[in-house]
Amino acid sequence: AAIGCPLGAIVKSLVFRVDDEVVVALVSGANSLDEPALARAAGGEGAARVDAATVREATGFPVGGVPPFGHRTELRVFVDEDLLAFDRVFAAAGNPATTFGVAPADLVAATGGVVATLARR
């Protein structure tokens, strides 16, 4: 409501471990992440949420403010296909109080993200 967009147009940057690799899942605000789907998209066996210290170490940002790109380390990014339904989506810009808008196709290009079915159905 503060941004003036539908909940689905909010990009949640979720940091998970798939097997031994830390990855970022960009998920529509209206969706819950399907962890097995993320693992499949990443070619792994299983996915699990990481703790706040790992998020900061891998991305350089705090939980709640992780942007979709510009991370401290190179991380593979997976993009919820449901984000592509919007003309513009809004993502965190480094802290929980700052966001930016971007066309979904530009988000995919900027992150080098792999579009996948990530929503729990």
Side-chain angles (χ1 to χ4, degrees), residues 25-45:
L26 304 179
V27 179
S28 168
N31 294 343
S32 294
L33 176 66
D34 182 327
E35 294 175 23
L38 174 61
R40 284 191 300 276
E45 299 282 321

Side-chain angles (χ1 to χ4, degrees), residues 39-80:
R40 284 191 300 276
E45 299 282 321
R49 187 177 296 270
V50 299
D51 63 20
T54 301
V55 170
R56 178 151 327 243
E57 180 182 316
T59 68
F61 300 95
V63 170
V66 176
F69 47 77
H71 306 132
R72 174 178 289 154
T73 60
E74 188 172 332
L75 302 171
R76 286 199 298 160
V77 176
F78 298 88
V79 181
D80 181 355

Side-chain angles (χ1 to χ4, degrees), residues 7-8 10 12 14 27-34 80-83 118-121:
L7 179 60
I10 298 294
K12 297 186 289 191
L14 305 177
V27 179
S28 168
N31 294 343
S32 294
L33 176 66
D34 182 327
D80 181 355
E81 67 184 1
D82 290 352
L83 290 169
L118 298 179
R120 187 176 306 141
R121 303 283 185 215

Side-chain angles (χ1 to χ4, degrees), residues 3-11 28 82-91 99-107:
I3 297 173
C5 71
L7 179 60
I10 298 294
V11 179
S28 168
D82 290 352
L83 290 169
L84 303 181
F86 297 94
D87 292 332
R88 193 165 184 79
V89 295
F90 297 86
T99 62
F100 69 96
V102 62
D106 293 337
L107 179 66

Side-chain angles (χ1 to χ4, degrees), residues 16-23 44-46:
F16 274 72
R17 185 176 306 281
V18 174
D19 300 340
D20 293 328
E21 177 187 11
V22 175
V23 302
E45 299 282 321

